[in-house]
Amino acid sequence: VQLNARAEKLLKSILSACGINGATLNSTLRTYHDQARITIEQTLPRDPGVVAYWYGNDVLDAARRMSVEEMAVWWKAYDERNNSYSSNHLRNIAMDVVPAHSRGVFAAKTAELANTTGTNVKRILAAGTHGETVDHVEFMFEVTNFSS
């Protein structure tokens, strides 16, 4: 799902400040089906501990015993019961970024902005952090034009 104009402008300004001329977005807003598929097909086989770390043992147990379709339904009900979102991709405030180059520079600049009031950058989980394979960036506002 494409970024909205506000998120695109902020991401481009971060990249520009780093001297980076482009990036690939691997993920923005996710559905529960997307979240379940990524968890079951990618994260769980790579490292079950990462699933437990990010989402808790209930989600890990569900991922181990359910199909993607079953887990999507279960996960949505789980979040509704807990009155929360398990992932900020589901909340529509997160994106997974692969800068064209200088990943360390991008991560450092984004982390600096996350620690500066008024930048609208909430946080970054740089590639390698807790099993992240991309730079997971969160903004203080929705990043697409679609409702979460």
Side-chain angles (χ1 to χ4, degrees):
V1 178
Q2 282 189 314
L3 294 180
N4 61 35
R6 186 176 179 200
E8 183 177 348
K9 182 177 180 181
L10 181 51
L11 179 59
K12 283 182 175 180
S13 71
I14 296 168
L15 292 166
S16 179
C18 297
I20 300 172
N21 60 0
T24 301
L25 293 181
N26 288 344
S27 185
T28 56
L29 173 65
R30 292 181 187 157
T31 65
Y32 280 94
H33 186 273
D34 296 332
Q35 193 69 41
R37 178 185 49 76
I38 291 164
T39 300
I40 290 172
E41 295 177 2
Q42 295 176 21
T43 312
L44 182 65
R46 190 176 63 238
D47 188 348
V50 170
V51 177
Y53 177 82
W54 286 123
Y55 311 115
N57 287 322
D58 290 343
V59 173
L60 174 60
D61 293 341
R64 285 180 164 153
R65 62 184 167 76
M66 293 182 184
S67 70
V68 170
E69 291 76 18
E70 292 168 329
M71 185 162 180
V73 171
W74 175 88
W75 207 335
K76 185 172 192 230
Y78 175 83
D79 277 0
E80 287 172 353
R81 276 193 313 276
N82 291 306
N83 197 32
S84 67
Y85 289 100
S86 299
S87 166
N88 282 325
H89 285 284
L90 297 168
R91 244 180 100 196
N92 196 18
I93 65 167
M95 65 185 81
D96 291 341
V97 181
V98 179
H101 54 83
S102 305
R103 285 183 97 165
V105 173
F106 174 80
K109 174 53 92 177
T110 307
E112 175 188 324
L113 293 171
N115 289 314
T116 305
T117 304
T119 65
N120 283 315
V121 178
K122 182 175 181 178
R123 73 175 174 163
I124 180 171
L125 300 169
T129 306
H130 307 297
E132 282 292 339
T133 58
V134 295
D135 294 313
H136 172 92
V137 180
E138 297 175 6
F139 287 173
M140 301 297 288
F141 54 83
E142 289 190 345
V143 299
T144 76
N145 288 327
F146 297 93
S147 295
S148 49

